[in-house]
Amino acid sequence: MSERDKQIEKERKGVVELLLKKNGLTRRQLVDDLVGMWAASWAHILTEEEKKQFPHLVF
């Protein structure tokens, strides 16, 4: 990896950390929220039988 690429990666990570801090989030919270949104956007491919496995969720 070139020095320029290393610097870009370092800055990218810095921006992410700063945005997390400014929004009062941890990486774990962000990942959990994004996984939840992803799952909700794909829930339409589940069969009615599969949905019955998750009685506390609204589809």
Side-chain angles (χ1 to χ4, degrees):
M1 181 181 282
S2 72
E3 286 303 315
R4 181 178 184 277
D5 289 343
K6 289 178 186 176
Q7 187 61 36
I8 289 170
E9 182 64 15
K10 180 180 175 183
E11 289 179 12
R12 187 190 66 78
K13 286 180 180 180
V15 166
V16 169
E17 291 304 318
L18 180 57
L19 289 170
L20 287 170
K21 183 177 178 180
K22 288 182 74 92
N23 284 282
L25 293 171
T26 64
R27 281 183 175 272
R28 180 82 258 155
Q29 290 170 314
L30 177 61
V31 169
D32 287 347
D33 288 349
L34 291 173
V35 167
M37 287 187 277
W38 175 81
S41 71
W42 283 95
H44 67 280
I45 69 169
L46 298 174
T47 66
E48 289 304 315
E49 193 62 32
E50 290 169 330
K51 290 178 182 180
K52 288 179 183 176
Q53 297 176 50
F54 311 99
H56 296 96
L57 298 180
V58 177
F59 294 99

